[in-house]
Amino acid sequence: MSFMVWTDELNTGIDIIDNQHRRIVDMINALHDTAKGKERDAIGNVIEELVDYTLSHFAFEESLMEEAGYQYVKPHKKVHELFIKRVSEYKMRFTAGEDIADELNNLLSRWLFNHIKHDDGAYVGAVKSQMQTVSKNKQEGGWLSKALKRFF
Ligand SMILES: [Fe+2]
Ligand SMILES: [Fe+2]
């Protein structure tokens, strides 16, 4: 099972997204650590938290891409959807009593690394300028503060 190390190539340059991605990486590493203990309750909690947060991140990211009018938002959403399906299958196997933590950890670190680098990296140009606009009206109850409240 691999420990996921944050590298520069994972940075999108959009702070709010990078912070969310880092948090996901931290959670993957928490799963890595917790899985060693073989305590099912603890592992279950980490998986729950990790999946929850990742779903919120996806929803936030999709909303951001839509707001920015990013042309590939549809295929990007499809990729998120397929990933959620795969992860749900692992959750079901876990609930059924299987020991899937190592396998899930491997999938997550491999998949997320690629997804952040390639798919998320591809929307940066479109989203970055949009982000500067929405950050400005953060305090004034603009899109960003609403989206953060809605998804997290
Ligand atoms: Fe992302
Ligand atoms: Fe994404």
Side-chain angles (χ1 to χ4, degrees):
M1 184 161 41
S2 50
F3 194 78
M4 207 177 163
V5 180
W6 188 269
T7 60
D8 271 353
E9 48 184 349
L10 292 171
N11 280 320
T12 62
I14 302 166
D15 286 348
I16 198 157
I17 292 291
D18 289 337
N19 290 337
Q20 291 174 10
H21 287 159
R22 276 176 187 270
R23 176 128 183 234
I24 293 172
V25 168
D26 285 345
M27 286 175 166
I28 292 173
N29 289 333
L31 176 61
H32 168 96
D33 287 341
T34 314
K36 283 188 224 151
K38 302 282 173 205
E39 262 180 57
R40 283 189 59 82
D41 283 356
I43 295 169
N45 287 340
V46 178
I47 291 175
E48 204 61 45
E49 213 184 319
L50 174 62
V51 171
D52 247 42
Y53 189 79
T54 305
L55 294 188
S56 298
H57 165 68
F58 283 173
F60 175 81
E61 199 175 72
E62 287 167 10
S63 176
L64 183 61
M65 286 185 282
E66 266 160 9
E67 185 70 16
Y70 177 55
Q71 60 173 326
Y72 298 116
V73 62
K74 259 194 156 167
H76 198 127
K77 274 171 122 169
K78 192 83 208 161
V79 171
H80 283 170
E81 228 172 80
L82 289 171
F83 177 71
I84 291 165
K85 249 180 109 182
R86 282 178 80 182
V87 172
S88 314
E89 281 158 20
Y90 277 100
K91 269 180 76 177
M92 267 154 49
R93 285 172 56 197
F94 180 80
T95 310
E98 270 189 68
D99 182 4
I100 48 88
D102 284 6
E103 226 182 294
L104 178 61
N105 187 271
N106 278 331
L107 166 81
L108 289 171
S109 40
R110 233 176 330 113
W111 189 90
L112 276 161
F113 187 86
N114 272 311
H115 181 70
I116 292 173
K117 219 168 89 182
H118 300 293
D119 301 332
D120 288 352
Y123 68 59
V124 170
V127 163
K128 218 170 181 176
S129 53
Q130 174 67 20
M131 215 48 222
Q132 276 155 0
T133 320
V134 293
S135 299
K136 266 186 223 143
N137 42 41
K138 192 179 179 181
Q139 272 84 20
E140 302 137 43
W143 178 87
L144 185 60
S145 65
K146 280 195 202 125
L148 286 170
K149 264 189 221 126
R150 191 145 54 103
F151 300 121
F152 290 98

